[in-house]
Amino acid sequence: MSQQTFLYQPKVTEVLNNIRKVMIGKEEAALLSVVALLAKGHVLLEDVPGVGKTMLVKTLAKSLDCDFKRIQFTPDLLPSDVTGVSIYNPKTLEFEFRPGPILGNIVLADEINRTSPKTQSALLEGMEETSITVDGSTVQLGEPFFVMATQNPIEYEGTYPLPEAQLDRFLLKMEMGYPTPKQEMEMLARTSNSHPIEEISAVISREELVGLQKETAQVYVDRSVHRYIVDLVTGTRHHEGVYLGVSPRGSISLMKAAKAYAFVHDRDYVLPDDVQFMAPYVLGHRMILTSEARFEGKTSASIIEELLTATSIPVKRTTGE
């Protein structure tokens, strides 16, 4: 199989370099964000306050010449505050649609667990269907469309945790983590006079981003890798510590994420290593553990690690086999 020539792939490096100028020690988070963007997926970023969740999304948005919108979720937010609303114009005697922030290309859904399930569903409908319903009419969302939602895991008072079925709408779920003392020292030095985000500019246009997503979709996945993905996902359904395993949507999501991860590394084919790297981020939030497993201290990550160890890895055949 000959190597494909990707016209837009070098742009990925430019975006990652832009993020590095602002985010210190967050290489993996930056990489995963770009992977989700290329795979046309969405990201749920869960971590304690102040570790740079919102800054990561802002930096990514500023690196892209796309329409950026932010939704600050609060308990009193209404679905129409997300989707938009039709307002009667007495001059034209007609209703005019005033678009909401979900009509942007890059959408930051800040503290998504602070709003009611009804308002959450307005966002999640758009994520799943790439369209929204306003006053009984369907409105198509623009292209590209990427949502990064944040939530704080330590605050439960007055919050509405996302149900498992809605968590499944996110391609990836990840955490940021605290910086090391050395990284935090560098952070203080960089922000002593001004913030680095003020100095970066867009390095990729909307059309180039759409081109990147189309090229990502062309990455080749061998049938043996398909089998590997299915074996991993099936393993979650039969593991004794898992009450509810990963759905077929999870299999598709893992394949798309592995393709994007391969594309970021300038390959036109997926390796089992790509699947292994992406599996914890794609599958972890799609599983419900049994109470016994949680009591024993097991986590989704530890069970996925068990499955990765137990599942046979496809090996490339040599000539003559």
Side-chain angles (χ1 to χ4, degrees):
M1 184 178 62
S2 60
Q3 176 78 22
Q4 288 189 47
T5 300
F6 291 130
L7 177 63
Y8 298 105
Q9 202 280 338
K11 288 289 182 179
V12 174
T13 303
E14 294 183 36
V15 174
L16 289 172
N17 286 339
N18 242 18
I19 297 175
R20 291 187 189 106
K21 294 175 183 177
V22 179
M23 307 298 296
I24 301 170
K26 305 298 181 185
E27 295 284 337
E28 192 167 282
L31 176 64
L32 291 170
S33 300
V34 173
V35 163
L37 181 65
L38 296 179
K40 293 187 176 181
H42 309 286
V43 175
L44 179 60
L45 194 50
E46 182 179 74
D47 216 320
V48 297
V51 293
K53 301 187 298 294
T54 303
M55 188 54 61
L56 173 62
V57 192
K58 285 184 174 180
T59 306
L60 181 62
K62 199 169 182 182
S63 301
L64 311 170
D65 187 17
C66 295
D67 191 17
F68 172 64
K69 301 290 185 182
R70 176 176 179 173
I71 310 172
Q72 182 64 53
F73 282 93
T74 56
D76 60 346
L77 199 72
L78 299 174
S80 58
D81 295 327
V82 175
T83 60
V85 65
S86 295
I87 299 177
Y88 182 73
N89 188 333
K91 293 182 179 179
T92 61
L93 304 179
E94 293 179 348
F95 283 92
E96 296 179 353
F97 176 62
R98 302 288 177 87
I102 198 174
L103 271 296
N105 298 122
I106 311 295
V107 179
L108 167 59
D110 223 352
E111 297 185 303
I112 189 174
N113 57 332
R114 284 192 172 278
T115 197
S116 67
K118 187 175 182 179
T119 303
Q120 289 174 355
S121 66
L123 174 69
L124 293 161
E125 178 195 354
M127 290 167 52
E128 179 64 19
E129 307 294 338
T130 63
S131 64
I132 55 174
T133 303
V134 181
D135 296 333
S137 301
T138 300
V139 179
Q140 292 295 323
L141 301 180
E143 189 180 28
F145 176 63
F146 174 68
V147 174
M148 184 173 280
T150 71
Q151 64 178 9
N152 299 326
I154 62 170
E155 298 178 15
Y156 296 106
E157 190 72 27
T159 61
Y160 305 85
L162 290 169
E164 299 299 326
Q166 294 182 342
L167 282 174
D168 203 28
R169 300 289 196 274
F170 291 94
L171 179 73
L172 308 175
K173 182 183 178 184
M174 62 180 183
E175 300 175 355
M176 298 281 285
Y178 286 113
T180 64
K182 183 178 179 181
Q183 291 168 347
E184 200 159 355
M185 288 283 290
E186 185 179 349
M187 193 183 303
L188 294 178
R190 285 196 191 183
T191 58
S192 59
N193 296 321
S194 62
H195 202 285
I197 196 172
E198 298 172 5
E199 301 172 7
I200 67 170
S201 56
V203 294
I204 181 172
S205 68
R206 182 183 309 181
E207 292 72 22
E208 288 171 329
L209 177 54
V210 172
L212 277 167
Q213 292 176 333
K214 289 179 179 178
E215 288 183 346
T216 300
Q218 300 304 311
V219 172
Y220 173 75
V221 186
D222 190 75
R223 189 169 178 80
S224 63
V225 178
H226 282 161
R227 170 55 59 186
Y228 184 51
I229 291 172
V230 171
D231 288 346
L232 284 173
V233 171
T234 303
T236 67
R237 301 168 192 165
H238 299 294
H239 194 285
E240 60 181 8
V242 179
Y243 173 72
L244 181 65
V246 178
S247 69
R249 181 188 290 161
S251 302
I252 297 171
S253 296
L254 183 53
M255 179 188 68
K256 288 181 177 180
K259 289 171 71 170
Y261 186 75
F263 181 83
V264 168
H265 290 84
D266 200 18
R267 276 185 281 106
D268 65 349
Y269 56 91
V270 172
L271 295 173
D273 290 350
D274 304 326
V275 177
Q276 291 173 347
F277 179 83
M278 295 305 308
Y281 304 103
V282 177
L283 305 182
H285 61 288
R286 303 173 193 272
M287 300 162 49
I288 301 178
L289 273 56
T290 62
S291 55
E292 292 82 5
R294 292 195 299 270
F295 180 77
E296 292 171 3
K298 290 187 177 181
T299 62
S300 296
S302 65
I303 289 176
I304 291 171
E305 188 62 36
E306 288 179 25
L307 293 172
L308 288 171
T309 303
T311 307
S312 299
I313 302 173
V315 179
K316 183 179 178 181
R317 295 182 179 179
T318 58
T319 305
E321 284 190 327

